[in-house]
């Protein structure tokens, strides 16, 4: 939210928005701290996701998107289905990526938990990249220069940054507000401005450093409101619009809207085919290498970036 994005807000409203971003960030930080205790071998993924989302609600915030639990070579966008029975394995590399919002003011952060103890260097690569990136952020810095810092930290440790995943600008109710922060050096020329809020998320890969869509999709967001023919699909679209606006939601979250699982999947399919929904397929490293991620949401201040999710 640089100056241009804030036309129309007076000082008092602006202070209120910043306070909500700050509180949402603190909620995310607190939940991620407790996540360490939940992420253990043998724990059901569904229990972990539901606990994380409940912990966000207990802090008077709402999940800004479903709790992502992406394991090993899966980089992002997995959240367990309503009937998922899987448990964490003894040696899983687990990325926990969560978001909380207060009236649309979003905090987005992620950590990686290495149950094997074998991926210390990979985790360190994403952590060092995040640290270097954040310490370089201040007004006037170009996003492509931040990508160069990320790439250098990860490559110098013998890994690859995931080049087709990026950080992103955040605005009220907009998780991806148009501007991206690449994880590699690039000529992207957007200059950070005071008041901007960004999620920054270096992914370090022991594989190819590229992700591709898998056929699995558990997360969607409403992106348009076309005319929908089916009665149930229309009902589902209204439910999504009322509860999540355009923020991402899980199929699991809407699994109780209808009694029938078939009605739900047919309605989701109709909304997808009509262009009402944007799908977020589960993303996997194309070289099938392990992936670590670390993410914070920051606000650009006069001469630095302040971490909101710490
Ligand atoms: Mn995230
Ligand atoms: Mn993010």
């Amino acid at each position: 939210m640089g100056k241009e994005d804030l036309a129309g807000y007076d000082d008092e409203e602006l202070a209120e928005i910043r306070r909500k971003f700050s509180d949402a960030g603190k909620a995310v930080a607190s939940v991620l701290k407790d996540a360490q205790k939940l992420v253990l071998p043998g724990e059901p993924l569904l229990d972990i996701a539901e606990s994380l989302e409940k912990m966000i609600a207990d802090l008077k915030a709402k999940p800004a998107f479903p709790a992502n639990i992406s394991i090993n070579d899966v980089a992002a966008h997995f959240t367990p289905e309503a009937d998922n029975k899987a448990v964490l394995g003894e040696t899983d590399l687990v990325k926990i990526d969560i978001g909380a919002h207060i009236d649309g003011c979003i905090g987005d952060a992620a950590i990686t938990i290495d149950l094997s103890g074998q991926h210390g260097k990979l985790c360190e690569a994403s952590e060092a990249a995040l640290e270097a990136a954040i310490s370089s952020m201040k007004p006037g810095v170009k996003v492509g220069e931040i990508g160069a810092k990320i790439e250098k930290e990860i490559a110098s440790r013998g890994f690859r940054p995931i080049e087709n995943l990026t950080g992103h600008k955040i605005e009220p109710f907009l998780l991806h507000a148009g501007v991206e922060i690449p994880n590699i050096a690039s000529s992207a020329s957007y200059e950070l401005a005071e008041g901007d809020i960004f999620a920054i998320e270096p992914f370090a890969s022991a594989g190819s450093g590229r992700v591709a869509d898998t056929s699995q999709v558990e997360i969607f967001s409403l992106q348009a409101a076309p005319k929908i023919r089916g009665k149930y699909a229309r009902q589902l679209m209204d439910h999504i619009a009322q509860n999540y606006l355009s923020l991402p939601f899980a199929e699991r979250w809407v699994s109780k809207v209808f009694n029938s699982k078939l009605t739900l999947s047919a309605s989701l399919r109709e909304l997808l085919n009509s262009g009402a929904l944007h799908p977020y397929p589960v993303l996997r490293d194309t070289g099938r290498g392990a992936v670590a991620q670390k993410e914070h949401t920051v606000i650009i201040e006069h001469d630095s970036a302040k971490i909101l999710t710490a």
Side-chain angles (χ1 to χ4, degrees):
M1 295 196 309
K3 285 200 181 74
E4 300 132 53
D5 310 312
L6 295 172
Y9 289 111
D10 64 31
D11 285 354
E12 209 168 299
E13 287 165 328
L14 211 53
E16 176 84 353
I17 289 171
R18 296 242 161 94
R19 188 183 56 72
K20 288 174 177 169
F21 269 106
S22 171
D23 288 350
K26 285 192 187 112
V28 167
S30 152
V31 172
L32 279 182
K33 203 163 155 233
D34 289 338
Q36 316 260 4
K37 292 171 223 155
L38 300 173
V39 176
L40 301 167
E43 279 302 308
L45 304 185
L46 183 59
D47 289 1
I48 298 172
E50 288 184 333
S51 299
L52 293 169
E53 289 162 5
K54 181 172 182 303
M55 284 153 72
I56 291 169
D58 288 345
L59 293 170
K60 299 190 168 55
K62 289 182 176 169
F65 51 83
N68 283 218
I69 306 175
S70 303
I71 298 172
N72 299 332
D73 58 354
V74 173
H77 297 168
F78 178 79
T79 197
E81 309 87 319
D83 58 356
N84 186 297
K85 298 279 189 288
V87 300
L88 284 179
E90 299 283 333
T91 60
D92 281 343
L93 184 65
V94 189
K95 280 130 337 249
I96 300 287
D97 189 339
I98 60 165
H101 80 91
I102 297 173
D103 298 335
C105 300
I106 302 166
D108 175 9
I111 56 172
T112 299
I113 297 171
D114 173 21
L115 297 178
S116 74
Q118 303 293 307
H119 293 294
K121 222 175 150 198
L122 185 67
C123 295
E124 182 199 293
S126 59
E127 284 162 19
L130 181 63
E131 220 168 278
I134 293 174
S135 21
S136 78
M137 293 173 85
K138 60 181 179 181
V141 171
K142 295 186 172 73
V143 292
E145 299 166 1
I146 305 169
K149 302 266 180 204
I150 292 173
E151 179 171 13
K152 182 167 164 255
E153 293 296 330
I154 294 175
S156 72
R157 287 169 174 82
F159 302 108
R160 292 192 163 118
I162 293 190
E163 62 184 44
N164 57 341
L165 287 175
T166 66
H168 47 96
K169 197 161 186 261
I170 293 177
E171 287 171 16
F173 287 109
L174 275 182
L175 183 58
H176 291 255
V179 183
E180 297 180 335
I181 298 184
N183 284 323
I184 52 170
S186 99
S187 56
S189 64
Y190 177 88
E191 287 183 16
L192 301 182
E194 192 170 348
D196 279 355
I197 292 174
F198 273 96
I200 174 153
E201 46 186 313
F203 288 81
S205 161
S208 68
R210 280 195 70 80
V211 290
D213 293 354
T214 67
S215 58
Q216 186 175 16
V217 187
E218 301 298 337
I219 300 174
F220 306 87
S221 67
L222 197 61
Q223 65 175 1
K227 190 130 183 60
I228 301 296
R229 300 175 74 174
K231 176 177 120 188
Y232 294 114
R234 232 170 24 237
Q235 192 184 327
L236 181 60
M237 188 166 78
D238 289 346
H239 175 88
I240 294 162
Q242 277 166 26
N243 288 279
Y244 314 121
L245 291 104
S246 59
L247 292 173
F249 65 93
E251 179 166 348
R252 167 169 55 83
W253 288 3
V254 296
S255 62
K256 305 245 162 61
V257 173
F258 306 115
N259 289 323
S260 150
K261 226 181 136 174
L262 277 176
T263 306
L264 175 66
S265 56
S267 303
L268 271 175
R269 207 170 323 118
E270 184 175 343
L271 293 182
L272 264 176
N273 292 341
S274 68
L277 293 185
H278 174 78
Y280 299 84
V282 174
L283 299 172
R284 189 189 294 276
D285 185 272
T286 59
R288 308 300 292 266
V291 175
Q293 171 203 20
K294 176 118 168 139
E295 177 177 27
H296 272 309
T297 298
V298 305
I299 182 164
I300 307 303
E301 297 195 321
H302 181 62
D303 197 32
S304 62
K306 180 182 171 193
I307 300 176
L308 295 173
T309 46

